[in-house]
Structure formats: structure tokens, C-alpha cells
Amino acid sequence: MNIHEYQAKTLLKSCGMPVPEGHVAHSAAEAKDIARSLPGDVFVVKAQIHAGGRGAGKYVGEPATGGVRLARSVGEVETFACEMIDRTLVTKQTGPEGRLVRKLYVEAGCQIGRELYLSLLVDREKRRLTIVTSQDGGMDIEDVAAKTPERVLTASIDPGMGFQEWQARDLAVRLELRGKQIRQFIQVLRAAYDTFTTYDASLVEINPLVVTKDGDLLALDAKMSFDESAFFRHRDLEDLRDENEEDPREQEAARFGLSYIGLDGTIGCMVNGAGLAMATMDIINAEGEQPANFLDVGGGASREKVAAAFRILLADPKVEGVLVNIFGGIMRCDVIADAVIGASHEVGLKVPLVVRLAGTNVEEGLTMLKESGLPLIVADDLGDAARKIVAAVRSGRKS
């Protein structure tokens, strides 16, 4: 689960992270009142959406640009807020459809001396929490790593020892921080680490972490993601969820306990087991098409759960064909067949459907499919299924 910048800063601040003073606004009038309460006469107005690249973003059908605006008066804060709120902001991470800006974050401005990058994430190869930092803040770290990899610094945290100040001190020196800035960097990294481990985060990113003209470190932007598997320990984090920022298909899938991730392709996939789902997606790619989703119904899904998964697939307007690939161990093939038949009749099957079944009660399942009267295609194995759904989709485009 992702959260907004203002929410991430609240969590980080509670663990000792230095952040600018700011508050969230839901209207231009509220943004103006917040600016009046902040110190100084320079303010930053930020669109709150779950996407990066806000500063270079553009609004659909509007002349105003930029999801991050620098205001030099309270009046400008109100003007910018009017131009930003309730507008659709398009960034390189939102796709062309953009995201509707429902709230803004208004915070006190600062004089920036340098911009650094800092993040904590899980390195799955090393099986350790890893610190990533760079002198090139305010940029996409992927671009920095691709063009100047030597400027990206990393350090792994031993899970038995936890965060060590010497690691922060070493990184601070390599970032060319001096004097009090080294002590502040240790505080910043400690706060990021404590926030990460306290809330079972999967990512804590501060970009940029700035050195002000006064020589102080300040987290100017923040991004956090969480491992939802740990939410039973953090019920309060559920309150930070903004469903307006989430894919409605993923919300529907979550209600039924389905593992679903929407993608950009045209072939919907329903599979039981994460490994089999990945293999199915790979073989569709190998046949020259793209999967529209990752969808794992699990090993022991009920008829209702499978039917819900099928409805989600068919409701996606990008889907030009559906591939059902089930290996029945705990999951029975006749249950899958019954659910697919029921959902197809309920929703209406308007795209090609290829079904590959193997395992428990496979003969019963195949008999049910053949006698259903549905215009579906039965496949013998995964390769056969991928070839058949790709051929059917391409044939549909020509007709």
C-alpha cells in the first residue's frame, strides 16, 4: 500500500525526521488559511497523488502546469490552489489518464543549498534492508544509476545488528557532508530506519533530502510503501489508505482475497499459484502479446472467489481475450469449470476464452466446459493455451 507525501512525513517526523512545517488542504480557501499560519513568506503547494514526477506534470485541458508550485505570497498560494485542486494531473507515472487532485499539501519554503537522495528498501538478493543514497537528489535514481552508477552509494544493514551509526557516518563523508551535517545525517538515517522497521514498510524514500543554505538537513519530499501482509500488526495504517488512488479492480480483488495487479496488456489471465501465474505471463509474452494482469486465485479458492476473479477480468475494457490456466491440486478443476461457466453467463462472454485444466477432477471439469454451450476453446497444455489465445485475439482484431 502506498500513502501520500503528507502522511509519510507525519510518520517520519514521529520518528525524529526533520521536515518542513506544513498541512493538508482540501480547498483553495483552506490552502490560503494554512499559508497564513506558516512561518516565512515563501510556500510550496503540492498536489497529493500517488505518483512521482509531479513537478513536471500537466493538467488535462488546463494551461497551468506543475503539481509542485512555489508561491511567494499567501495570494499566490490561493491562486495556485485554485488551478490545481479538482484538476486531473498527468505525470510520467500516471499514464495519459492522469489522477484527479483531491487534496494539496501546503508547507513552508526553505532555501536549498544541495539536494541529496536517500532511500531504504529490501534487497531481495542480499535478503537485507539496504540504504541507497546519492549526491544527485531531485532526480530519478534509476536515471542516475544508469548514467553515473558510481554516484549511487549503498550499504546493507545486518538484520542481527540493526542500524549502525558508523554506516551513516561513512555515507555522510562520501556524500561530502561536513561538521554538524554528519550528525544530522545520522539522525535522518536513524529516523528513516526506525520508521521502516516500526511500520513494516517496503520502501522509505526521501527525494530530495536537502541541505539548506544554513547547512541543515531537511526531508523535502517523502514516499512510503508498506507490506500489507503485516497489517495485522498495524491496524492504524489501514486508515491511511486512499481508495481514490487505487485501481478499482485491485480493490474489488482484495475484497475476495485475490492477488491481482493490473497491467497494460490485452490478454486477461486467471491462474492458481504465483509461480504458474508468472509462467503464464511469460509464455504470453513469448508468443508476442502482453498480459493484462497478474491474477492468482490461490490453491483452495471457492466457486464465489473464482467467479469474482472472472468478473474482474471481463470488466476490464482493455481485455481482448482471457486465458484460464489451472493446475488442480487442492483446487478442483470441476469447481473452476463451474465458476467460469456461471460467471460467463452472468457477465456475458464477449471476448475469446481459452481454458487449460490439469489435475484433480480434470475430466469432470472438461466435460462441464464442453457441455456448457459457451464459445470457449479448450487447450491441452500451457504452450497450446498461449498459442490459441494469441491466435484468437489477433483474429478478433482483423474481423
Side-chain angles (χ1 to χ4, degrees), residues 88-141:
T88 299
L89 180 64
V90 179
T91 78
K92 59 184 178 182
Q93 291 188 12
T94 65
E97 68 278 4
R99 293 279 178 83
L100 182 65
V101 179
R102 293 179 169 86
K103 60 188 79 173
L104 304 171
Y105 189 52
V106 183
E107 67 180 8
C110 69
Q111 291 188 314
I112 300 173
R114 295 174 60 198
E115 294 186 349
L116 309 176
Y117 174 89
L118 175 66
S119 71
L120 273 76
L121 49 83
V122 178
D123 187 325
R124 299 194 181 279
E125 290 187 4
K126 296 181 179 179
R127 299 181 181 180
R128 294 190 174 190
L129 182 57
T130 297
I131 305 164
V132 180
T133 188
S134 174
Q135 293 193 51
D136 298 317
M139 301 171 57
D140 287 335
I141 194 64

Side-chain angles (χ1 to χ4, degrees), residues 26 44 49 55 88 134 138 143-144 153 185 195 200 208 211 221 241 266 277 288 318 325 333 344 381 398:
H26 298 84
V44 184
I49 60 172
T88 299
S134 174
D143 292 341
V144 177
L153 310 177
F185 187 76
T195 306
D200 288 300
V211 181
D221 195 4
R241 184 184 296 275
T266 58
K318 296 196 303 293
N325 180 27
C333 292
S344 297
D381 53 44
K398 294 176 182 178

Side-chain angles (χ1 to χ4, degrees), residues 298-312:
S302 65
R303 180 188 186 282
E304 292 73 21
K305 192 173 182 179
V306 173
F310 202 65
R311 287 195 301 270
I312 292 169

Side-chain angles (χ1 to χ4, degrees), residues 15 65 103 112 118 146 221 240 248 259 262 264 281 351 355 357 367:
C15 291
T65 60
K103 60 188 79 173
I112 300 173
L118 175 66
D221 195 4
L240 303 181
S259 297
D264 296 327
M281 295 164 65
V351 297
V355 182
L357 300 178
T367 298

Side-chain angles (χ1 to χ4, degrees), residues 319-333:
V319 169
E320 299 178 20
V322 175
L323 171 57
V324 176
N325 180 27
I326 299 296
F327 185 85
I330 300 173
M331 172 65 72
R332 290 165 36 198
C333 292

